[in-house]
Amino acid sequence: MPEVGQSAVSSEVEDAQEIVLTDDGPILVCGPVEIVLPDGSRVRSDRPVTALCVCKRSRRQPFCDTSHRSRVRIADLAHDIAQEEDRAQPQSAATR
Amino acid sequence: MLSRNPPRPVEPPGLPQPRGPLSAALIDALKHGPVAQSVPEDCDPYGEDLQLALYCSYELHYRGFASVPDDREWDPTLLAARASMERLFLYALRADVAGGADDVDVDAELATLLIEPIDAPGVSHHLRRDGELWQMREYVALRSRYHLKEADPQALVIARLEGPAKTALVTIEHDEYGAGNPDRMHAKLFADMMDALGLCSAYGQYLDAAPAEVLAEVNLMSVCGLHRGLRGALVGQFATVELTSSPGSDRLVKALRRLEAPAAAVDFYAEHVEADAVHEQLIRRGVIAPMLAAEPALARDVVFGIRASGLLADRLSALLLDCWGQGRSALRRPLAGAMARTG
């Protein structure tokens, strides 16, 4: 047993579960987790890191499926890119 | 922790058929002992001959070839030939993706990958909308050049990274290798999908069928993984895959379900929808951010890796859609055998 005191408290704090809030997407949680859904059912994730959907757009709740990303029409994108004169090699995710 | 499946014997694949003087000389050197060879300056850097010769050179670092002695991997004559081919390939890539002042703006480059086009002409869009089963099988056969060694080229960069970037990259790789469960290793899930689609999941299968556009994508990973000086480019390449894979995999899941493929054929891409949504966050926040904070000079190479991956992916996409649009196979050797209905 560790001695009761400052060091024990601080190591306890260091061991606290880290949860990362991203500005544009999911919440990241470390380690295997079991998630309780609103209806009481449970889903388990054994990934080293799990990305939980908070935008509610994912079709694989409670996990992120990148549905939070902005969607554009290629035609509009091409127009925007054409306005950027310097860009010789615009990227498109079209193939993937 | 332990696999539920009996181990498969490890059998190195046979050597492929040559596609020109360069690959003929290289394959001959692998078989009979190296002789110095020069690479013609006018050799097409994206062509069948050079890409196959380069692919075979790299394969010595992965699974090797049956009948080729293991120590050819570090034969200085073969390494010299490989270096000349790499110079041509990298020179062409650098020339073709060079932009301007924004060549070092990694955030802007990543931002373009995080926008999801809804009317894109890409392969996964085509397969989801109206792809046919024979096209799906061709796609999977071609993708096996990478996915049967999925994550291996990127594992080469681990020793070249420091601190937090290394930890995060290893976390991603750990997930790719099944997070402790050998039966969930992505290469294993891919092999299961091949079997379920009536394809042969043996490691070297379909190399003769794979056009240069397929080999070039894998060669980019290998050259960046094997050269410490290209560690930034390797991370850029990996980021491109991880950032674009999730929505693309979702479309391929839809394609396979529409084509009524067996469940074992759907698992691989279904896993990647979820896994790569995590990997995207880890590679941006966990790998790229700390790596560039520690080594800001790598930004240019990260951008190069992203753009080179995009360029080669676009070339492959154009080839597949062009061939399929004409109703013909995109493979150098069309697949034999009917679809095995196992589901």
Side-chain angles (χ1 to χ4, degrees), chain A residues 52-90:
Chain A
L52 293 173
C53 171
V54 282
C55 76
K56 302 292 181 191
R57 275 188 273 176
S58 171
R59 281 155 294 175
R60 289 165 189 266
Q61 294 293 341
F63 306 113
C64 173
D65 70 352
T66 71
S67 290
H68 57 270
R69 290 184 187 177
S70 35
R71 290 159 180 272
V72 292
R73 295 196 171 276
I74 290 278
D76 301 339
L77 196 65
H79 177 72
D80 291 347
I81 289 168
Q83 292 183 326
E84 288 180 51
E85 292 177 355
D86 292 339
R87 291 190 54 93
Q89 183 60 47

Side-chain angles (χ1 to χ4, degrees), chain A residues 22-24 26 47-49 51 59-60 63-64 66 69-74 87 89 91 94-96, chain B residues 96 102 115-119 122 124 175 243 251 254 271 273 277-278 280-281 284-285 307 313-314 317:
Chain A
T22 64
D23 49 356
D24 54 346
R47 293 184 190 291
V49 177
R59 281 155 294 175
R60 289 165 189 266
F63 306 113
C64 173
T66 71
R69 290 184 187 177
S70 35
R71 290 159 180 272
V72 292
R73 295 196 171 276
I74 290 278
R87 291 190 54 93
Q89 183 60 47
Q91 283 294 316
T95 51
R96 287 143 327 239
Chain B
D96 289 343
D102 60 355
I115 296 171
E116 201 43 38
I118 48 180
D119 55 345
S124 62
D175 210 28
L243 265 62
R251 288 188 284 274
K254 290 190 172 102
E271 156 71 11
V273 177
V278 179
E280 171 217 318
Q281 300 291 340
R284 285 165 59 209
R285 296 163 201 281
R307 291 182 180 173
D314 288 349
S317 179

Side-chain angles (χ1 to χ4, degrees), chain B residues 114-128:
Chain B
L114 292 172
I115 296 171
E116 201 43 38
I118 48 180
D119 55 345
V123 170
S124 62
H125 289 270
H126 162 74
L127 289 171
R128 179 186 67 80

Side-chain angles (χ1 to χ4, degrees), chain B:
Chain B
M1 182 166 51
L2 301 179
S3 176
R4 292 166 190 271
N5 297 304
R8 279 185 175 196
V10 175
E11 288 167 10
L15 285 163
Q17 293 298 312
R19 299 182 192 178
L22 194 58
S23 51
L26 185 101
I27 290 166
D28 200 53
L30 291 177
K31 277 189 211 162
H32 303 116
V35 283
Q37 56 173 316
S38 57
V39 180
E41 285 299 317
D42 60 350
C43 191
D44 176 2
Y46 302 120
E48 297 288 347
D49 197 22
L50 183 134
Q51 289 299 329
L52 179 68
L54 200 48
Y55 185 90
C56 291
S57 309
Y58 291 139
E59 208 46 46
L60 300 177
H61 299 289
Y62 297 112
R63 307 291 191 278
F65 292 102
S67 78
V68 175
D70 283 348
D71 59 3
R72 295 265 152 87
E73 180 185 359
W74 297 107
D75 183 281
T77 314
L78 286 173
L79 290 175
R82 193 188 87 186
S84 338
M85 294 188 279
E86 287 173 335
R87 270 195 294 276
L88 279 181
F89 184 38
L90 288 170
Y91 183 83
L93 284 172
R94 288 200 188 277
D96 289 343
V97 302
D102 60 355
D103 274 4
V104 292
D105 191 345
V106 174
D107 287 341
E109 211 65 28
L110 292 173
T112 63
L113 298 179
L114 292 172
I115 296 171
E116 201 43 38
I118 48 180
D119 55 345
V123 170
S124 62
H125 289 270
H126 162 74
L127 289 171
R128 179 186 67 80
R129 279 193 297 259
D130 42 24
E132 295 177 37
L133 186 57
W134 66 270
Q135 296 170 338
M136 191 75 216
R137 292 178 78 233
E138 288 202 353
Y139 182 73
V140 170
L142 292 177
R143 284 291 184 205
S144 70
R145 295 275 52 77
Y146 169 60
H147 287 300
L148 289 179
K149 57 171 175 276
E150 183 167 339
D152 289 351
Q154 291 78 21
L156 294 166
V157 88
I158 293 171
R160 284 90 193 260
L161 297 177
E162 289 268 0
K166 185 196 295 251
T167 304
L169 190 122
V170 170
T171 303
I172 299 171
E173 290 283 278
H174 178 56
D175 210 28
E176 304 273 359
Y177 289 128
N181 181 351
D183 297 332
R184 296 296 298 171
M185 191 189 293
H186 289 179
K188 169 74 168 71
L189 297 180
F190 193 86
D192 292 345
M193 171 168 64
M194 294 185 81
D195 295 336
L197 290 173
L199 297 164
C200 173
S201 61
Y203 181 80
Q205 202 76 20
Y206 309 119
L207 174 52
D208 281 324
E213 286 80 354
V214 170
L215 304 182
E217 281 199 303
V218 188
N219 287 340
L220 175 69
M221 303 175 198
S222 299
V223 70
C224 295
L226 284 164
H227 290 262
R228 182 181 166 277
L230 289 171
R231 61 197 182 284
L234 188 285
V235 168
Q237 182 279 326
F238 201 16
T240 307
V241 173
E242 299 295 3
L243 265 62
T244 54
S245 156
S246 205
S249 296
D250 188 53
R251 288 188 284 274
L252 294 171
V253 168
K254 290 190 172 102
L256 286 157
R257 291 202 173 126
R258 182 175 59 74
L259 294 167
E260 298 178 359
V266 182
D267 209 19
F268 174 84
Y269 286 114
E271 156 71 11
H272 280 71
V273 177
E274 235 176 81
D276 292 344
V278 179
H279 298 176
E280 171 217 318
Q281 300 291 340
L282 288 175
I283 199 150
R284 285 165 59 209
R285 296 163 201 281
V287 180
I288 294 178
M291 182 182 80
L292 291 181
E295 293 188 278
L298 292 181
R300 187 177 293 275
D301 269 350
V302 174
V303 171
F304 167 67
I306 293 171
R307 291 182 180 173
S309 303
L311 174 86
L312 295 176
D314 288 349
R315 286 176 61 92
L316 174 59
S317 179
L319 173 84
L320 295 177
L321 295 177
D322 182 46
C323 291
W324 294 345
Q326 297 173 38
R328 63 186 172 86
S329 170
L331 275 54
R332 291 168 54 81
R333 291 183 180 182
L335 296 172
M339 168 73 179
R341 283 278 170 199
T342 51

